[in-house]
Amino acid sequence: DLDLDRWAATDRIPERRIYTYLATYPHIRATVAGFGRITSDEFYATIAIVYGLMPTAMNLRRGDMEPFLAPLNALRDTGQRLTAGELDGLKALVNNSIVGTSKLLHFLAPETYPVWDSRINRFLNGEPRPETNSVPRYRDYLADFDRLRVDADFEPLRAAIEGRLGYPVSAARAFEMIMYLSDALELNHVAPPAQAQTVPAPSVPAPASRPKVPRYKRDAYTFVSNLGPVTLDETMP
């Protein structure tokens, strides 16, 4: 339920962040799309813009951006992705963050690079999730995107999201957005519509609701148990 009007009217901080995430996107994309050749000016400006959506401040690490301008312009011109070595080097320059690097690359090439962050990592891998700030993990994520974007069911989903938001949504943006919002809104999985069947499918009882285990920053430890189906099932006290 991409209800921008409701999120725009609320004062709740989490929903304001979601509104910001969705409402600012087309303006950032239009601004970066208006850049000509990627020079140091455009590089700095794009990095500063995308870090406005992140909780951490931008911190350019020591390094020379000049070697990356040619591959970034090739990316804009032909959609040619950076090599593994170029991606490693760009990450080292951009705050040593593959999350920030993925956002830079996405706005330079919205059809080619999806954004990656800890919410998406958690959606894909659950908790405890593996290290987010990993170039190999991001490259695996790109391979997942390449496989999914050609799936017959994906384009109608992308088009539906674009229709609800009212601005262009690339396949890479839809791919990222589904996972990001599913984690941010703690959405439950919704099964696809049942296909026509000659034999009725057996009824499956709905799972019992389970209390959410709270987490606090002050906690030093979180207790994890593989007995969740028993200890959190209100029908089996």
Side-chain angles (χ1 to χ4, degrees), residues 38 43 65 67-77 82 90 104-105 108:
I38 302 301
F43 183 91
M65 78 173 66
F68 302 107
L69 298 182
L72 290 178
N73 279 298
L75 169 65
R76 292 264 294 218
D77 293 341
L82 277 65
L90 189 60
L104 167 68
L105 293 172
L108 291 178

Side-chain angles (χ1 to χ4, degrees), residues 27-38 42 76 107:
H27 305 286
I28 297 174
R29 180 169 167 177
T31 298
V32 177
F35 292 158
R37 305 300 294 168
I38 302 301
E42 286 75 18
R76 292 264 294 218
F107 282 104

